[in-house]
Amino acid sequence: MTNLTIIGAGTMATAIATVGVSGGTSVQVLSRNVDQGVQLAANLGELVTPGQVGDALTGDVVVLALPYTALGQVVETYAAQLGGKVLVDITNPIDFATFDGLVVPQGSSAAEQVAVWAPDAHVLKAFNTTFAATLESGRIGGLPTTVLVAGDDPTAKQTLIDVVEAGGLVGIDAGVLSRAQQLEQLGFLQITLASAQRVPWTGGFAVVR
Amino acid sequence: MTNLTIIGAGTMATAIATVGVSGGTSVQVLSRNVDQGVQLAANLGELVTPGQVGDALTGDVVVLALPYTALGQVVETYAAQLGGKVLVDITNPIDFATFDGLVVPQGSSAAEQVAVWAPDAHVLKAFNTTFAATLESGRIGGLPTTVLVAGDDPTAKQTLIDVVEAGGLVGIDAGVLSRAQQLEQLGFLQITLASAQRVPWTGGFAVVR
């Protein structure tokens, strides 16, 4: 039985916790301010255990639900505990100064950077191509919400896909970790479309199978 | 009234001609082998006029429905006629040797390269994120097929969006021409997913508004 740790307690953390709880997965929510996790537990029920960043990780799948710029420090904080864990990067590392590209080096991705910082973890890219609203509802445009999962370890990918599918969504193996480059460009494009009001934050890209 | 010229007579050319004809748009189809265009006209009706690559362009919107590697030569062939035209690049410039990325330089795109070759045309990126089947049917997963259009000239974008919407599809302004970088990564990702049989060639990414 997979247990989830989510670091962060914002909109995406809440949405991912909702998917986990919908599938019967225990979710540890670690935030700087423990009150946020307490509130999340109050909303989502007893499968959610709140804690503070710095507490021991109880999940075998750890989701970094923080902005890209915060990842380096939190990975360093947990360096000794990440070996063998499935470590999920969900970020869209947008250059908000220009809103015209990403801050990660060309030919790389946030997820690949996380893999450099946490070489003993099984790093995955996921959840960056689905807005929070479509994760929470599990639906987009009459279709099930699809989580695209990239990573180099097939077992790690399947573990996360199982959590997602238990929660009523669809999970698709999107290939090796370097496909995160494409997923991050897709996430960026989708955010530009929503920011320009071409699509709503309850819509965006759906995957049709 | 907009007229379309499509250079190429393959699967994507056929699909785009179908969209044009559905909306009552006249379509000149120029191919190396004129028989392909004749066949297309036989299938799609009298709005299609076949011709050979080298014939004068009759369309104010010119769609390059050829592989990326063929674009340089055809743009050179038509250099004297492209000034002021709307010139549409539909390619996914995949590195087929590795199937792991694109052949265009990082930080650029096929569409931006076409704009360098044809500086007097209004270059657009479009049709590279929709498989031929979803263009022809106009539907994907119960939703209308959406054509994402990037370019620096708003009037040129609206001209193409009008052609697409007359054909029963949805057209969305996806931003400036450099957003082609994101559209091409999305197109590449979608092709990897279909090649790996994660999505069918009749599916892929739909846009939910």
Side-chain angles (χ1 to χ4, degrees), chain A residues 100 106-107 179 182 185 204 206 208, chain B residues 100 107 179 182 185 204 206 208:
Chain A
D100 195 42
Q106 285 172 352
R179 280 294 81 72
Q182 283 71 46
Q185 296 290 352
V208 175
Chain B
D100 195 41
R179 280 294 81 70
Q182 284 71 46
Q185 296 289 352
V208 175

Side-chain angles (χ1 to χ4, degrees), chain A residues 150-152 157 173-180, chain B residues 100:
Chain A
D152 290 335
K157 280 192 279 197
D173 179 348
V176 294
L177 189 63
S178 60
R179 280 294 81 72
Chain B
D100 195 41

Side-chain angles (χ1 to χ4, degrees), chain A residues 96-138:
Chain A
F96 288 105
T98 65
F99 208 58
D100 195 42
L102 305 183
V103 295
V104 291
Q106 285 172 352
S108 188
S109 60
E112 288 164 282
Q113 188 57 59
V114 169
V116 170
W117 295 332
D120 300 326
H122 303 301
V123 175
L124 303 179
K125 185 84 199 185
F127 298 114
N128 77 301
T129 64
T130 44
F131 290 144
T134 68
L135 280 174
E136 282 206 41
S137 70

Side-chain angles (χ1 to χ4, degrees), chain A residues 30-50:
Chain A
L30 300 178
S31 49
R32 298 247 171 248
N33 177 351
V34 75
D35 290 348
Q36 292 180 284
V38 170
Q39 186 58 53
L40 231 161
N43 293 338
L44 294 180
E46 60 187 15
L47 281 171
V48 175
T49 306

Side-chain angles (χ1 to χ4, degrees), chain A residues 100 106-107 140-141 143 148 172-174 179 182-183 185-186 188-189 193 198-200 203-209, chain B residues 100 106-107 140-141 143 148 172-174 179 182-183 185-186 188-189 193 198-200 203-209:
Chain A
D100 195 42
Q106 285 172 352
I140 177 166
L143 297 161
L148 297 168
I172 290 185
D173 179 348
R179 280 294 81 72
Q182 283 71 46
L183 295 174
Q185 296 290 352
L186 168 53
F188 169 48
L189 176 68
L193 292 172
R198 309 295 186 202
V199 302
F205 290 108
V207 178
V208 175
R209 293 196 297 176
Chain B
D100 195 41
Q106 286 173 350
I140 176 167
L143 297 161
L148 296 168
I172 291 185
D173 179 349
R179 280 294 81 70
Q182 284 71 46
L183 295 174
Q185 296 289 352
L186 169 51
F188 169 49
L189 177 68
L193 292 172
R198 309 296 185 202
V199 302
F205 291 107
V207 178
V208 175
R209 295 195 298 178

